Amino acid sequence: MSAVLSLGEVSGRPESRNWLNTIIKGDCVAALEALPDKSVDVIFADPPYNLQLGGELTRPDQSKVDACDDHWDQFASFEVYDAFTRAWLLACRRVLKPNGTIWVIGSYHNIFRVGAIMQDLNFWILNDIVWRKTNPMPNFKGRRFQNAHETMIWASRDANAKAYTFNYEAMKAANEDVQMRSDWLFPICNGGERLKNDDGDKVHPTQKPEALLARVLMSSTRPGDIVLDPFFGTGTTGAVAKRLGRNFVGIEREQDYIDAASARIDAVEPLGATELTVMTGKKAEPRVAFVSLIESGLMKPGTILSDARRRVSAIVRADGTLVSGVEAGSIHKVGARVQGLDACNGWTYWHFDDGQSLKPIDVLRSLIREDMAKAG
Amino acid sequence: MSAVLSLGEVSGRPESRNWLNTIIKGDCVAALEALPDKSVDVIFADPPYNLQLGGELTRPDQSKVDACDDHWDQFASFEVYDAFTRAWLLACRRVLKPNGTIWVIGSYHNIFRVGAIMQDLNFWILNDIVWRKTNPMPNFKGRRFQNAHETMIWASRDANAKAYTFNYEAMKAANEDVQMRSDWLFPICNGGERLKNDDGDKVHPTQKPEALLARVLMSSTRPGDIVLDPFFGTGTTGAVAKRLGRNFVGIEREQDYIDAASARIDAVEPLGATELTVMTGKKAEPRVAFVSLIESGLMKPGTILSDARRRVSAIVRADGTLVSGVEAGSIHKVGARVQGLDACNGWTYWHFDDGQSLKPIDVLRSLIREDMAKAG
DNA sequence: AATCCTACTGAATCGTGGG
DNA sequence: ACCCACGATTCAGTAGGAT
């Protein structure tokens, strides 16, 4: 079974990390306070939604809807819920690395309060993501629109944390080569994935689908990252993290949920390194200085470069700068000046003649990068 | 031109309503305070989003993105924005009829604060609606998911206000005969619908598509209702309200927007009554007592009724009650008892044999209702 | 064997009107 | 205010048994 730690067993010493890939049993805020500062890369939080349900709800066939009326979802007032929310978000903030990000999922019952508090605590919202359900529960009384989605807030630690992980190219490739949008379509957690106890009842009333977590982790973490889930429940976050080669830490109060999560995670087979290689765009690739083309002999000083239509030309100087008429400077700056623009990507703007046709100098950069990759 | 009222011209006397189908020029809160209590059916509000833009944003081709950097979208802090939001929401609340509803649209920059404040002010959220854009602006820097949606909150005045308007049947009919979901797909406003000035520049930076407003008003208002828009802008709400046979009131500070809105609304041709007839369900039809079937001779005492499969039968008594075995009572109560359920719609459960087949007694109720309609 | 029928279920702030 | 009768209202999917 996956290790389960009681609160007293958690080592707060940064070098220990005995809490890695374990479930910490205890209150969310107390457990968070046992973890060291700036120790996790990403947090996924699925807090109580504070549904304020009235009486019972029946379907048109008079069957009863099995509502989420668990004690842990009950709060006396908005004030109490807000205080709870502020406490766990603040504790999360301390544990999060400076360039880490946090995801919080909710519905209209709670997500507005959560989002406002996140902003108040200086988290910087990067996106709100809509999980569109393919198969939501209908509105049985015909008094509202069918509540067919939930909302996730994705935020960095603060507005200045620019170096958070976002696997833009991988998301784009996974989405027919267009940018991944802020609305995602997934079925609710059903069928074989849904954990049931011996009586055939669901173990947890609000188990999230693994596909949702997989997209969250694939987009905002790298293999080996540490993912914290302060409301672990039956461990969807842990199961997906393990499968995707990420480390997890879960916090959970209820022993039933811990037992189910632990067994579930044990059964997960991690994917191999090849499957996990994240598609990266140019951003993640090493920077190449234009001068290194000259240094490596791929480009000779004095070479004449031009734009794709040979309307503008420039001469390569030995120091890696370019001259075009009166303009001199980097490939980017000169490219911008000759076009009268503020900026320009010189790698794609400037071309060289290889004897047959004009090719962008970017192809030479690719050769350099291949060499860099071989060198490890 | 549509009438434009200055603040002093607004009549606060309930019987005057000289502000109907006008644009009130002035500050939002001040103008709201000039309107009488409980005087509007629905409010649609598109408040400033408080975008906190950093520097300029350029596309990959180095063209500049024309951001919404207007003075009215600038707030010094979250506190200032919150105070502003609370003030206009509170003013709206007083003006709203007890069974009225309010729509507020926003993005992740402001919608969480707005939603939390709405809850604090005791508005009762009915749905959050996601407007999915078919053609959102891309994320040019590749650092986030494409922000492809905006969020609307639909709320009643308080939790006890149950008699708000929701045209459930019309929405369902408009959606391939399944319930309308909380995620709506529309293009952003451009092309001929987008108002441009003589220079070809857009008149308003955030003009909303008429299709969005049309669904809002078709779902939550009836012809003749009064729709208030406290941030009228270029009058999309007014134009759609007029077209759909609803009355509008707009509040706007900027003369340029007022001029554009006024001319725009003048050009709108209202639809006729036939086109505007709202599809309704059984809920809207008059109640019929089962005994009136007997009184009118459509059903004779002693008739034997059964369920659709002839598994259960019952005898009609002269007083409009039913007997089935030991159970006796109304068609609903006996229907529930014989099925072991808490409730049952006797009109659809019980059937009679017309010599050819079993028909639900509901067809007889329809005949009664036809007679009632003829009689006026 | 393939198809059909029935039962069940999912984070739900889910009615109206007369006495 | 509460109480109670009336009677309106569901989509996608899974599971298992019947045809």
Side-chain angles (χ1 to χ4, degrees):
Chain A
M1 297 286 277
S2 291
V4 178
L5 297 185
S6 67
L7 251 179
E9 295 173 296
V10 177
S11 169
R13 284 174 300 131
E15 68 280 13
S16 158
R17 300 209 298 186
N18 71 333
W19 40 267
L20 219 53
N21 300 308
T22 69
I23 306 170
I24 304 172
K25 177 169 181 173
D27 170 70
C28 162
V29 173
L32 283 165
E33 286 171 355
L35 294 175
D37 284 5
K38 302 174 185 173
S39 54
V40 306
D41 295 286
V42 160
I43 298 172
F44 181 87
D46 182 9
Y49 286 11
N50 188 26
L51 302 181
Q52 295 159 18
L53 306 177
E56 287 192 324
L57 181 64
T58 54
R59 300 188 177 82
D61 66 0
Q62 301 303 320
S63 63
K64 286 194 179 64
V65 173
D66 182 20
C68 175
D69 54 0
D70 301 72
H71 65 92
W72 48 254
D73 198 49
Q74 307 295 320
F75 294 83
S77 65
F78 282 139
E79 287 69 31
V80 173
Y81 185 79
D82 290 351
F84 162 78
T85 301
R86 199 170 289 109
W88 72 258
L89 276 170
L90 209 50
C92 280
R93 195 177 161 74
R94 185 186 60 79
V95 165
L96 192 61
K97 291 183 184 175
N99 280 309
T101 59
I102 179 169
W103 294 79
V104 188
I105 186 167
S107 65
Y108 66 85
H109 310 84
N110 70 322
I111 198 66
F112 301 113
R113 317 197 72 79
V114 168
I117 292 170
M118 289 177 73
Q119 290 181 313
D120 290 342
L121 295 180
N122 229 20
F123 285 107
W124 188 248
I125 300 179
L126 299 168
N127 281 112
D128 58 334
I129 299 289
V130 174
W131 167 28
R132 302 175 51 221
K133 303 180 184 182
T134 58
N135 48 353
M137 191 185 295
N139 182 290
F140 294 118
K141 303 297 187 195
R143 295 296 295 143
R144 305 176 177 200
F145 297 96
Q146 182 181 30
N147 189 13
H149 74 276
E150 295 188 22
T151 301
M152 291 186 290
I153 297 173
W154 181 43
S156 62
R157 210 170 164 289
D158 57 73
N160 301 318
K162 305 283 191 190
Y164 58 86
T165 298
F166 177 55
N167 299 317
Y168 173 79
E169 292 289 338
M171 286 294 104
K172 186 170 173 179
N175 193 43
E176 305 287 316
D177 286 324
V178 293
Q179 295 189 339
M180 186 68 80
R181 298 167 45 110
S182 54
D183 53 330
W184 303 354
L185 184 67
F186 290 112
I188 60 176
C189 180
N190 236 338
E193 188 184 327
R194 187 86 197 216
L195 299 181
K196 304 278 178 68
N197 61 24
D198 296 338
D199 299 334
D201 297 325
K202 54 194 177 195
V203 177
H204 194 283
T206 69
Q207 186 182 339
K208 296 293 180 288
E210 294 196 3
L212 185 73
L213 267 292
R215 185 170 296 173
V216 164
L217 297 186
M218 286 302 287
S219 67
S220 59
T221 67
R222 286 183 281 231
D225 275 1
I226 302 175
V227 181
L228 165 69
D229 185 336
F231 305 97
F232 204 56
T234 47
T236 305
T237 303
V240 175
K242 181 178 176 187
R243 180 160 54 85
L244 296 181
R246 276 71 171 168
N247 297 292
F248 71 89
V249 202
I251 301 173
E252 178 54 51
R253 276 194 311 199
E254 311 280 333
Q255 190 63 47
D256 287 352
Y257 299 162
I258 292 175
D259 294 341
S262 182
R264 174 188 188 183
I265 293 168
D266 279 349
V268 170
E269 203 60 47
L271 293 175
T274 313
E275 294 94 317
L276 288 181
T277 303
V278 170
M279 166 153 329
T280 54
K282 291 183 175 151
K283 282 229 177 57
E285 297 194 55
R287 271 183 191 243
V288 175
F290 179 66
V291 73
S292 61
L293 266 60
I294 298 166
E295 292 161 352
S296 67
L298 283 170
M299 172 81 60
K300 287 185 178 20
T303 304
I304 293 176
L305 303 182
S306 70
D307 69 322
R309 300 184 183 178
R310 296 187 197 270
R311 290 192 289 205
V312 180
S313 65
I315 299 168
V316 175
R317 298 195 289 202
D319 63 355
T321 59
L322 229 53
V323 185
S324 177
V326 297
E327 305 291 352
S330 73
I331 53 172
H332 311 299
K333 189 145 281 176
V334 175
R337 290 270 169 74
V338 298
Q339 295 177 91
L341 295 174
D342 288 335
C344 163
N345 182 348
W347 291 107
T348 53
Y349 179 72
W350 295 111
H351 292 62
F352 69 96
D353 193 329
D354 70 348
Q356 299 177 345
S357 64
L358 283 182
K359 291 196 168 56
I361 58 175
D362 205 17
V363 304
L364 302 176
R365 179 167 66 163
S366 303
L367 296 176
I368 297 265
R369 280 184 170 150
E370 282 182 26
D371 290 343
M372 292 168 79
K374 277 176 206 156
Chain B
M1 299 285 277
S2 291
V4 178
L5 298 185
S6 67
L7 250 180
E9 295 172 296
V10 177
S11 169
R13 283 175 300 132
E15 68 280 14
S16 157
R17 302 209 296 186
N18 72 331
W19 40 267
L20 218 53
N21 299 309
T22 67
I23 307 171
I24 304 172
K25 177 169 181 173
D27 170 71
C28 161
V29 175
L32 283 166
E33 286 172 353
L35 294 175
D37 283 6
K38 304 174 184 172
S39 55
V40 307
D41 295 286
V42 160
I43 298 172
F44 182 87
D46 182 9
Y49 284 13
N50 189 27
L51 302 179
Q52 294 157 354
L53 305 175
E56 288 191 324
L57 181 62
T58 53
R59 299 188 179 85
D61 66 1
Q62 298 309 317
S63 63
K64 286 198 178 62
V65 174
D66 182 20
C68 175
D69 54 359
D70 302 72
H71 64 91
W72 48 255
D73 198 47
Q74 308 295 319
F75 293 84
S77 65
F78 283 138
E79 287 70 30
V80 173
Y81 186 80
D82 290 352
F84 161 77
T85 301
R86 198 170 289 110
W88 72 257
L89 277 169
L90 208 50
C92 279
R93 196 177 161 73
R94 185 187 60 79
V95 165
L96 192 59
K97 291 183 184 175
N99 280 308
T101 59
I102 179 170
W103 294 79
V104 187
I105 186 167
S107 66
Y108 66 82
H109 307 86
N110 71 322
I111 198 66
F112 301 115
R113 317 198 72 79
V114 169
I117 291 170
M118 287 177 74
Q119 290 182 313
D120 291 342
L121 296 181
N122 228 22
F123 285 106
W124 189 247
I125 299 179
L126 299 169
N127 282 113
D128 59 333
I129 299 290
V130 174
W131 167 28
R132 303 175 52 222
K133 304 179 184 182
T134 57
N135 47 353
M137 190 183 296
N139 181 288
F140 294 117
K141 302 295 187 195
R143 294 297 294 140
R144 304 176 180 200
F145 297 96
Q146 182 181 29
N147 188 14
H149 74 275
E150 295 189 23
T151 301
M152 291 186 289
I153 297 173
W154 181 42
S156 62
R157 209 169 164 288
D158 58 74
N160 302 319
K162 305 281 192 187
Y164 58 85
T165 298
F166 177 55
N167 299 317
Y168 174 78
E169 292 287 338
M171 287 294 103
K172 185 170 173 177
N175 192 43
E176 303 288 314
D177 287 323
V178 292
Q179 296 189 335
M180 186 69 80
R181 298 169 44 114
S182 54
D183 53 330
W184 303 355
L185 184 66
F186 289 113
I188 60 175
C189 180
N190 52 22
E193 188 185 324
R194 186 85 197 217
L195 299 181
K196 304 277 177 65
N197 61 24
D198 296 338
D199 300 334
D201 297 326
K202 52 197 177 194
V203 176
H204 194 283
T206 67
Q207 185 181 339
K208 297 292 180 288
E210 294 197 2
L212 184 73
L213 266 293
R215 186 172 294 173
V216 164
L217 296 187
M218 286 302 287
S219 67
S220 60
T221 68
R222 284 184 282 231
D225 275 1
I226 301 176
V227 181
L228 166 69
D229 185 336
F231 304 97
F232 204 56
T234 47
T236 306
T237 302
V240 175
K242 181 177 175 187
R243 180 159 55 82
L244 296 181
R246 276 72 170 167
N247 298 292
F248 70 89
V249 201
I251 300 173
E252 178 55 52
R253 275 194 311 201
E254 311 280 332
Q255 189 64 47
D256 286 353
Y257 298 162
I258 291 176
D259 293 342
S262 181
R264 174 187 187 183
I265 293 168
D266 279 349
V268 170
E269 202 60 46
L271 293 174
T274 314
E275 295 94 316
L276 290 179
T277 303
V278 171
M279 168 146 339
T280 55
K282 287 180 181 169
K283 273 193 186 114
E285 300 198 56
R287 283 189 182 220
V288 175
F290 178 66
V291 71
S292 60
L293 266 59
I294 299 166
E295 292 163 352
S296 67
L298 284 169
M299 172 81 60
K300 289 189 178 16
T303 304
I304 294 176
L305 303 182
S306 70
D307 69 314
R309 299 185 182 181
R310 297 186 197 271
R311 290 193 287 204
V312 181
S313 64
I315 299 170
V316 175
R317 298 198 289 202
D319 63 353
T321 58
L322 230 53
V323 186
S324 178
V326 298
E327 305 291 351
S330 73
I331 52 173
H332 312 297
K333 189 145 280 177
V334 176
R337 291 270 170 74
V338 298
Q339 293 178 91
L341 295 175
D342 290 337
C344 164
N345 183 344
W347 292 107
T348 54
Y349 178 73
W350 294 110
H351 292 60
F352 68 99
D353 194 328
D354 70 348
Q356 299 177 345
S357 64
L358 282 182
K359 291 196 167 56
I361 58 176
D362 204 15
V363 303
L364 301 177
R365 180 170 62 164
S366 303
L367 295 177
I368 299 265
R369 280 179 171 156
E370 281 178 26
D371 290 342
M372 291 169 77
K374 276 178 207 155

